[in-house]
Amino acid sequence: MSDGVQLYCWHFMSYPHLPADFDEKYDTGWVTVPNSLWDKDKSRGLYQQYIDQLAYADELGFDGMVLNEHHQNIYGLMPSPNLIAAALTQRTKRGKIVILGNLLPLHLSPLRIAEEYAMLDNMSDGRLIAGFAPGSGPETFNYNVASASSRSQFWEAVDFIQRAWTEPGPFEYEGRHYPTRYVNPWPQPTQKPHPPIWIPGSRSRETLVEIAKRGYCYFLSSRSHGKETARSQEMFAKILAEHGKRYQPSRMGILMSAYVAETDAQAQAEAKEGVWYFLKNCLKGHLRREGRQLTFGPGIPYIPAEEFRDYLKFSDPTTPLLGDAESFDDLQESASIVVGSAETVYRRIMDILTHSKVGNLLIQFHLGNMQDALARKSMRLFATEVAPRLREDSAKLFAREFPEAALVPEMAK
Amino acid sequence: MSARIIDVRGRKVAVAESGRGGPPLVYLHGFADVHGIAADLTPFHQRLARHARVIAPAHPGCNGSDELASASIDDVVFHYLEVFDAADLPCFDLVGHCVGGWIAAEIAVRHPERVARLTLVGACGLFVPGAPIGDVFMHAQPERGTDLSSLRALLFADPNGATAKRWFPDGRGDLDEEVRRYQMLRFGSFMGFRPPYFYRRELRERLYRASMPSLVIWGGQDRMVPPAHGTAYSDGLSDARHFAVIDGAGHAVHLEQPERVADLIAHFHDQHPDEHAGAQLESTARA
C-alpha cells in the first residue's frame, strides 16, 4: 500500500498592518516598499503569533511545517527562516521542519548553510527537510546577485553542501565560486546520509534533470494548478525515467492555499479580507500586473537568450496573474487558493491530486492579514475533516497509479 | 553597411561596418544602440561613416556574437584586444557609448598606443560620489506588464517622444529586437548588476594614462549616467580637448541628436589629425 499525500502547513509570515489605502498609494510590496510603514507597536507579538500557529499545526497532526526566505518585502517577514526553524525545534515534537529554502547565492559561503542546517537537524532530532533555492528576481535586486551567474553559483553551492555532509572532512573544495581550503563542518547532520533535499523549480528542464540525477525532491514553484501542474509532473516523471529512475508521488510537492469553514458561504465571508489583502498587497510586485513585477523578465536576465525568445513567443504580457483576481470565481479557475466547506476543499484538492499525482501538499493557511482565530479554525477544520479523507483516498489513488516496483516485471523493459 | 562574422580564437564576433575611406574607427555600443536593439547601424553611425571606416562589433552574447563564459570588465577588455588583433587593427580611433564607453576607457588606459583618438559618450565606468549610475535592470521590468516609460526616462530626455518609443516601445515589440534588448541586458548584467554597478573605482586614478586626444560628449538630461561623470572623465583624461554637454538630450544622446554627435566627433578628428596613429604604425613597421 502506498503512502498517502503528506500534508504540510506553510507559513509566509506576511506583514499584516498595512494602511487600507496601500494599494492606491504604493506601487510595490517588494524591495522598495518603504519600511517607514512598519508599525512597531502593532507588530509586537507578531512573530510569537505566527510561531504559535505553526506549533498548533504540529499539535493538529500535520506532517510538517514549512518556512522560506524572503528579504525586504511585506510578503514574508523571514529574512532568516533558520531562526524560526530553531524556535520550532523547541516548540514542536513530531512534524518535519521544511525550510524551502535557504537562498544559496545570497550567502557568502555554502559552508554556513551546511552548518546551520546540520545544527537544526540535530536540534530537531532529525526532522529537518533541507530546501535549497536560487532566489528569484527580487532577491537578485536585494542582494546583488548577478543573475546571469546565479544558476551556476546555486548548483555549485548544492554540491558543496552535499559533499560537506557526506564526505569525511577536512577536504579542499575546488569550485569556481566557492573555493574553500578546509571543509570540515561540525556538527554533522543527524539524518544519514543527509537530510532529504528539496529543490524548487518551474519548468526549466535543466533544473529537473539536476534534481532527477541527484535523487532530490522537486517542488514546483507555482501558485496556480491547472494543466501546467500535471504537465510538470509528466515532464519530471519522463526525466526520471531517462535517468533510470521511477517517479513516486513522494518525489514532488506543490504549494497551495486553503481556507476551510463550516459552509462555502461562511468560508468566503471569513477568508475575504485576508485573501484580498494577500492578493492586492503581498503579491504586488510579484504576481500582479499592477505596479512593477520583479520576479521574472528582461531585467533579471538569468536564462539564456534563446530560452527568453521561447518565453516571449509563448507568453502574453497582458494576461492576468494570480494577484489580478477580482472574485472567488477567478480564484477557482487558478486552483491556487481553495476556499470552502470541508467537503468543497476535499473535493477540489482531490481533483488536483488526481491530475497532478504529487505526494506533498504544502498548504498556506494564514493569508495576508488574516486574524489568528480564523487561521487556527481553518487549520483545525482542515486537520480534522479534510486531512483524514485526503490521506486515505490519495493512498488508494497512488497505489492504483504507482503499483510497487515488483509489479513491473524486468522483462517488460 | 556590411555585416560580417569574424572568428576570434574560435568565438564568433558579429561586426557591422560602413564607410570606405578614412582611418579605422571602432565603435563600442551601449544599451539603447546598434546591436543593443537594432540589427544595423543607425543614422549616427552612417553619418560618422562619411569621415571614417566605422567598425562596430556586437558585444559578447549580443546580436550574433558568441557569449563569453565569464564577462567581467577584464574578460571583455581581453576579448576586445583579441578582436582588434583578429581584425588587424594595430591602432584606431575609438568611440564608446554607455557600457561601450567604459570598455573604451579601460582599453585606452591600458593600451594608449593603440588608441589614436578617444571619444566617450555618456560613458559609465567611474565612481562619482553622490551621482550614482541608474538601475537599468529594475527599470527594464515593465510596469503593469507593458509600460516602459520609466526605462525611457532613464535613457532619453523626452521619455514619450517618438525616438524613445521607437527604441523602447510599450508592450511586446518586434521579437528579434526584444531578444537583442535582452541579450544586451544579460551582457550588462555580468558587468554591472552586482556592485560595482558599472564602474571600477580604480579607473579614475588610471585615466591619466590615456594620453591620446580625447573628446567627452554627454546628454545634459542623462539620467542613467549623470553628467557629473562626464566632468570626471574630462578632468581625469590626460588630453581631453573638449567636454560637450548637449542640452535637450538624455543618455542616448546619439539617438536623439545623431547628426550633432557625429559632427562633433568628425570635427574633433579634423582638429586633431591622427599623428599618433601614424607614428605608431611606423614604429610597428620598424619593429
Side-chain angles (χ1 to χ4, degrees), chain A residues 140-141 144-146 148 153 176 289 291-294 296-303 305 308-309 312 315 317, chain B residues 70 135 137-141 143-146 150 172 175-176 178-179 182-183 185-186 189-190 193-195 197:
Chain A
T140 66
F141 286 108
N144 291 318
V145 176
Q153 268 180 269
R176 179 183 180 87
R289 291 293 183 200
R292 191 195 299 280
Q293 178 273 114
L294 293 179
F296 182 78
I300 311 127
Y302 67 87
I303 59 172
F308 191 73
R309 180 186 290 274
L312 291 175
S315 66
Chain B
S70 163
D135 185 356
F137 302 104
M138 181 169 281
H139 290 279
Q141 291 292 104
E143 292 174 273
R144 291 181 293 286
T146 56
S150 81
R172 242 346 116 63
L175 183 64
D176 289 329
E178 292 286 5
V179 171
Y182 181 82
Q183 290 174 318
L185 285 161
R186 186 168 157 89
S189 78
F190 284 103
F193 195 105
R194 63 163 44 164
Y197 302 115

